């Protein structure tokens, strides 16, 4: 997932990424200096309530998230394949990670065969103290890929209808995995050329229809993309006053200090507080408790799955 091969235009001068084992909110960790998952907590030091001044309409639409009992703050990772139970146990005991992104559906999902991802795995992982971020990799923008193959483009003739259909599939798959209403479902939209106006409109129509259908089913509409692509596009839509935008924004900006309050393409009050995930590094191989995975690193300040 993520803007895997895109060179980020913003590189932090200082990698003030901090150590945090993770708690359900509210907590405001102190500062530290390291680049590992054991060092992400200080990113929350600047996230005080006084920092946020969201626009009134947008704030009203997202007010439920700010009181959610399932908001998590801390270190997370996502991997193409949901790890086996023994690896999850080893990483819980020996790493600072406490949140994990899982690819639960979508026709663009890279690891379509998820060997371990069952309702039992979800319940066990949640009970063991992990916080789950469900990701749905559906149809992709018609101008996605940067020259790479895009086998599942959004149908430009019916983007809203297709978005609603795939949202219904996401809800059905989430329910089958014991992921209950109140959970965020993150739509994975890889980087696309926002400078192509027609394509950007098609992509936004798909996203908004997906959001509306997911929300109507009682879930939170999450969205993942590159900071300079999908996240920037949605920020412009928010500024124009559009409705049916995602409740939670998960953006990729690699090479930057882990943080959820100072993303250059987002207004300070947009998707805040507790409505952001920052993927700050990717394709990193780590070993904890003798178990090795290649993961993307995330800083989470957002709702996580509610498991029934």
């Amino acid at each position: 997932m993520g803007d895997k091969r895109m060179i980020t235009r913003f590189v932090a001068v200082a990698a003030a990424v901090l150590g945090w084992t993770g708690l359900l909110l509210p907590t405001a960790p102190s500062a530290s200096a390291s680049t590992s998952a054991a060092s992400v907590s200080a990113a929350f030091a600047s996230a005080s309530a006084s920092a946020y001044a969201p626009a009134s309409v947008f704030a009203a639409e997202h007010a439920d998230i700010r009181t959610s009992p399932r908001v998590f703050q801390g270190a997370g990772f996502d991997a193409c394949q949901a790890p086996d139970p023994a690896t999850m146990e080893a990483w819980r005991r020996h790493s600072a990670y406490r949140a994990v992104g899982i690819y639960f559906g979508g026709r663009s999902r890279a690891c379509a065969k998820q060997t371990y991802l069952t309702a039992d795995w979800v319940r066990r992982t949640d009970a063991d103290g992990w916080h789950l971020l469900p990701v749905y990799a559906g149809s992709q923008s018609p101008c996605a890929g940067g020259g790479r193959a895009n086998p599942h483009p959004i149908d430009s003739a019916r983007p809203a209808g297709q978005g609603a259909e795939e949202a219904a599939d996401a809800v059905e798959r989430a329910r089958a995995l014991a992921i209950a209403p109140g959970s965020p479902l993150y739509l994975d939209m890889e980087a696309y050329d926002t400078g192509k106006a027609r394509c950007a409109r098609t992509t936004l129509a798909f996203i908004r229809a997906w959001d509306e259908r997911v929300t109507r089913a009682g879930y939170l509409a999450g969205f993942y993309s590159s900071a300079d692509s999908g996240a920037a596009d949605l920020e412009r839509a928010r500024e124009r006053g559009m409705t049916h935008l995602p409740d939670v924004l998960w953006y990729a900006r690699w090479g930057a200090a882990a943080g959820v309050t100072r993303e250059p393409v987002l207004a300070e009050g947009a998707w805040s507080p507790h409505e952001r995930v920052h993927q700050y590094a990717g394709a990193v191989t780590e070993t904890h408790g003798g178990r090795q995975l290649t993961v993307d690193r995330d800083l989470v300040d957002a709702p996580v799955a509610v498991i029934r």
Side-chain angles (χ1 to χ4, degrees), residues 27-48:
T27 305
S30 58
S32 150
S34 169
T35 56
S36 70
S39 60
V40 296
S41 64
F44 292 113
S46 61
S48 63

Side-chain angles (χ1 to χ4, degrees), residues 1-4 78-80 101 103 110 135 186 188 190 224 250 252 254 279 296 298:
M1 163 173 131
D3 197 11
K4 304 293 186 193
D78 56 274
C80 187
Y103 290 84
V135 182
Y186 291 90
D188 181 348
E190 297 297 314
Y224 169 87
W250 184 347
W254 294 6
Q279 184 185 87
D296 297 335
D298 304 294

Side-chain angles (χ1 to χ4, degrees), residues 14-36:
V17 194
L18 315 140
W20 175 251
T21 56
L23 292 173
L24 293 182
L25 88 96
T27 305
S30 58
S32 150
S34 169
T35 56
S36 70

